[in-house]
């Protein structure tokens, strides 16, 4: 049977995440992956969660196994609220919705907001999962350059001045994916002014905000918002467990109501057992202490990666900005046009990196950039992976 | 701030499920709910799953807590395959995708297939969650009458003959929600012939198929499909636990590929711990024995409900068909136009039922029908609930 005629326009030209495709190829145990976005698994609180899950299912099976409410288990909503309040990111007109991962929150916010042809301003480069979510609603993506201190605000204003039909700005202001860059306080304020002037929403995605290992915290955009213009997406993936798929959305009530309805027809509600595990973990343990351990580890791993890059990368041929937190490091090779041959050669040499084109609004345009991840691999493998990568770069640049 | 201008057309007029709204009002412990679709919680295997979850998280925390693959954990895909193969519902050109509940599978299948204005033929009445999912892609719903032996096939053919732009027929052929009716084998074959003649897809939703307590099994439509025209949605919600949110889609590879991409941008993957719990449960225990216990219980509960209806309902004023399985019983009050005042009066008398309008393609048209659920309440509460309902019906019919 021929299926093309049955396919919606939105999926006809859709391309999956090359990163997740790459995951499939990485069954080869000899490959060192600097490609994914996995948090460090060596610190996962398996023993604690084992006891917690065992006890919940033993003492309260009905709560854990029966249907729950779409907006989230009330105590889980309290947990999400606590995390959001810690960064002053819940306003009095906001509602909190528990999501099966923050990605679902971004997908459903986009679904609530975007008609075909509507425009979304995104950082260029940005997180492919969100860009692809916007694409599935047939929105047009308009990229604005990311600099070391975040999105270029003059370019943002110029873009808004010259572009009709923009509904939303999507930003990961802190330890951005893929650049690792953090938007300055001044730029955050300016973004709010510009969004107000041109009357567009801001969707602030903050999965990495807790993972600072140097420098000073910068307030979230949501915390500076006096107009209820910002929808805030938070995540437990990088501070507890990504496999549990727990995130949340903080949104003004009229939008939250629509997002909740869309979640109702999507997965009805987030699984109960993962919500209950998170609630009990936060009740019994100090999650901030657990996060602090991760932060320390990521600081060490980042330093190890940077030191290996300085040692093994061909001098002056690769540019990067050292991040102050998060899990990613972004590299540019100014002397070439297209990183693809290098990425392929790297896979031959058993090290995986992600080409920059994956994070672009135009995924077919060549890119001379690549993304490295330092949270997932061990320090030993980071050094060996960067050594292999350095060999390829030295040979090919 | 005024948010209407930021809302996508799809959500502007969207109405949430009145059933789930009703759930919120049911905090009152005196209310007997015959309204929901909850499976019986008294048989949930809490002890077994407690030991399983505890052990998995203790012995394999990385697998349970790290990111997984979008298509599903391989052994969970095997489990889903086993369930689908049991009813001959996996073809050689099919792929299996694990979903965070079958509802997600229906939502994302719709997203992969439906453009704005495309038409979906649905049973009238049908499951509100799916109807609302189709509505969010701005599809038009065209209802075809459900009879005691399933959809009226002459009406289906007539509808297809006279309607342009139909892409898909959505059906719950076995123990349908809300009618409890099962489509005959003859009608299943005829549906495939008609779908082939007019070249449309069939989305077969089969969450209740394992719950037969009388009569003979009827083959799934998927098992009769020789053209790879049927997408099949299966669920663990009614045979293990709805709160775990585990379902699956069996779809021809070209469609499955698109659905997988849409899942990638939706929730990335189904939580790992729930998948692993299901895998271990099916490895250690005979899930068919567990299902048999549920089936027996539902048979008893259904009989108790029917017997109470015969005792307490005003004679000759309410019509129903006794189901052979599943969890729902559908009632019609031919002497009235609109059931709403009765439903409201029932809530006053502390018994909850669902008005038929919830399951209609036109939710604003009055309905003289209501749905009862017998899986969730205890037998004692079923009798008392039907007694209260009978009082209201006797007074108001």
């Amino acid at each position: 049977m021929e299926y093309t005629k049955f396919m919606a326009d939105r999926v006809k030209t859709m391309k999956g995440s090359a990163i997740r495709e790459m995951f499939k190829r990485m069954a080869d145990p000899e490959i060192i992956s600097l490609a994914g976005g996995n948090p460090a698994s060596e610190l996962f609180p398996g023993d604690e969660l084992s006891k917690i899950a065992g006890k919940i299912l033993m003492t309260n099976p009905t709560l854990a196994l029966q249907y729950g409410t779409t907006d989230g288990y009330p105590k889980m909503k309290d947990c999400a609220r606590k995390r959001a309040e810690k960064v002053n990111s819940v306003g009095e007109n906001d509602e909190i919705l528990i999501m099966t991962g923050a990605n679902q929150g971004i997908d459903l916010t986009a679904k609530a907001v975007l008609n075909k042809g509507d425009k979304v301003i995104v950082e260029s480069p940005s997180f492919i999962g969100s860009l692809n979510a916007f694409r599935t609603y047939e929105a047009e993506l308009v990229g604005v350059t990311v600099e070391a201190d975040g999105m270029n605000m003059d370019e943002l204003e110029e873009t808004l001045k010259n572009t009709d039909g923009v509904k939303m700005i999507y930003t990961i202001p802190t330890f951005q994916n893929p650049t690792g860059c953090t938007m300055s306080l001044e730029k955050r304020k300016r973004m709010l002014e510009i969004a107000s002037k041109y009357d567009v929403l801001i969707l602030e995605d903050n999965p990495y905000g807790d993972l600072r290992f140097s420098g000073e915290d910068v307030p979230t955009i949501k915390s500076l918002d006096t107009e209820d213009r910002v929808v805030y997406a938070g995540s437990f993936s990088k501070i507890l467990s990504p496999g549990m798929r727990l995130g949340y959305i903080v949104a003004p009530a009229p939008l939250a109501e629509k997002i909740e309805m869309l979640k109702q027809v999507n997965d009805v509600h987030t699984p109960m057992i993962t919500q209950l595990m998170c609630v009990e973990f936060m009740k019994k343990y100090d999650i901030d202490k657990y996060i602090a351990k991760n932060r320390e580890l990521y600081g060490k791993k980042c330093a190890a990666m940077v030191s290996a890059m300085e040692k093994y990368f061909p001098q002056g041929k690769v540019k990067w900005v050292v991040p102050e937190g998060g899990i990613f490091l972004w590299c540019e090779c100014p002397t070439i046009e297209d990183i693809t041959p290098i990425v392929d050669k790297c896979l031959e040499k058993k090290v995986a990196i992600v080409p920059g084109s994956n994070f672009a609004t135009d995924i077919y345009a060549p890119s001379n950039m690549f993304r490295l991840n330092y949270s997932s691999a061990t320090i030993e493998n980071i050094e060996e992976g960067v050594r292999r990568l350095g060999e390829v770069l030295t040979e090919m640049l």
Side-chain angles (χ1 to χ4, degrees), chain A residues 141-186:
Chain A
L141 306 184
V142 185
V144 172
T145 314
V146 181
E147 301 165 317
D149 62 347
M151 199 186 261
N152 181 320
M153 289 298 144
D154 293 332
E155 192 182 327
L156 172 64
E157 176 140 28
E158 201 58 23
T159 304
L160 274 163
K161 198 192 278 178
N162 297 318
T163 316
D164 284 337
V166 176
K167 273 224 177 126
M168 189 163 85
I169 303 168
Y170 170 71
T171 176
I172 310 168
T174 305
F175 316 132
Q176 202 242 8
N177 181 0
T179 64
C181 294
T182 294
M183 194 186 290
S184 66
L185 178 59
E186 294 64 37

Side-chain angles (χ1 to χ4, degrees), chain A residues 63 80 97 116 231:
Chain A
L63 182 64
L97 298 171
K116 181 177 178 173
V231 175

Side-chain angles (χ1 to χ4, degrees), chain A residues 25 28 30-31 340-352 388 392 395-396:
Chain A
R25 283 199 283 165
D28 181 349
E30 282 178 21
I31 286 189
T340 313
I342 288 175
V343 174
D344 292 344
K345 188 81 179 178
C346 280
L347 271 180
E348 274 174 40
K349 296 258 182 185
K350 310 276 188 200
V351 58
R388 294 179 193 175
V392 175
E395 184 192 327
M396 298 182 73

Side-chain angles (χ1 to χ4, degrees), chain A residues 17-229:
Chain A
S17 158
I19 303 168
R20 295 198 72 82
E21 287 305 309
M22 206 180 259
F23 283 177
K24 291 187 182 168
R25 283 199 283 165
M26 282 197 251
D28 181 349
E30 282 178 21
I31 286 189
I32 293 175
S33 173
L34 307 176
N38 288 11
S41 53
E42 55 263 47
L43 291 179
F44 284 156
D47 288 6
E48 293 85 341
L49 289 172
S50 162
K51 288 187 193 104
I52 285 170
K55 193 171 169 197
I56 292 166
L57 285 157
M58 190 65 79
T59 57
N60 211 340
T62 299
L63 182 64
L65 298 172
Q66 191 54 279
Y67 278 119
T69 50
T70 301
D71 54 333
Y73 177 59
K75 286 182 184 169
M76 180 64 210
K77 290 177 73 174
D78 293 342
C79 286
R81 180 176 287 275
K82 264 183 214 155
R83 298 309 305 167
E85 278 175 351
K86 210 176 158 70
V87 288
N88 302 308
S89 296
V90 196
E92 56 183 11
N93 302 317
D94 286 324
E95 295 287 340
I96 291 180
L97 298 171
I98 300 304
M99 293 286 151
T100 312
N103 224 110
Q104 186 188 44
I106 288 159
D107 183 12
L108 299 184
T109 301
K111 189 173 181 183
V113 166
L114 299 174
N115 287 317
K116 181 177 178 173
D118 281 348
K119 298 193 183 77
V120 183
I121 293 185
V122 300
E123 283 147 349
S124 177
S126 184
F127 170 49
I128 186 171
S130 300
L131 302 190
N132 277 345
F134 304 149
R135 287 182 177 114
T136 67
Y137 301 106
E138 299 173 90
E140 282 177 39
L141 306 184
V142 185
V144 172
T145 314
V146 181
E147 301 165 317
D149 62 347
M151 199 186 261
N152 181 320
M153 289 298 144
D154 293 332
E155 192 182 327
L156 172 64
E157 176 140 28
E158 201 58 23
T159 304
L160 274 163
K161 198 192 278 178
N162 297 318
T163 316
D164 284 337
V166 176
K167 273 224 177 126
M168 189 163 85
I169 303 168
Y170 170 71
T171 176
I172 310 168
T174 305
F175 316 132
Q176 202 242 8
N177 181 0
T179 64
C181 294
T182 294
M183 194 186 290
S184 66
L185 178 59
E186 294 64 37
K187 284 196 171 179
R188 289 173 194 232
K189 289 179 180 166
R190 177 105 191 268
M191 181 182 276
L192 280 164
E193 283 165 21
I194 296 171
S196 179
K197 183 173 169 187
Y198 293 92
D199 199 14
V200 295
L201 296 176
I202 296 172
L203 174 53
E204 179 177 24
D205 188 9
N206 192 23
Y208 316 109
D210 287 307
L211 302 179
R212 178 175 289 279
F213 44 73
S214 70
E216 294 295 319
D217 277 339
V218 186
T220 66
I221 300 174
K222 177 81 179 167
S223 72
L224 305 167
D225 173 24
T226 56
E227 300 182 316
D228 296 330
R229 185 174 293 284

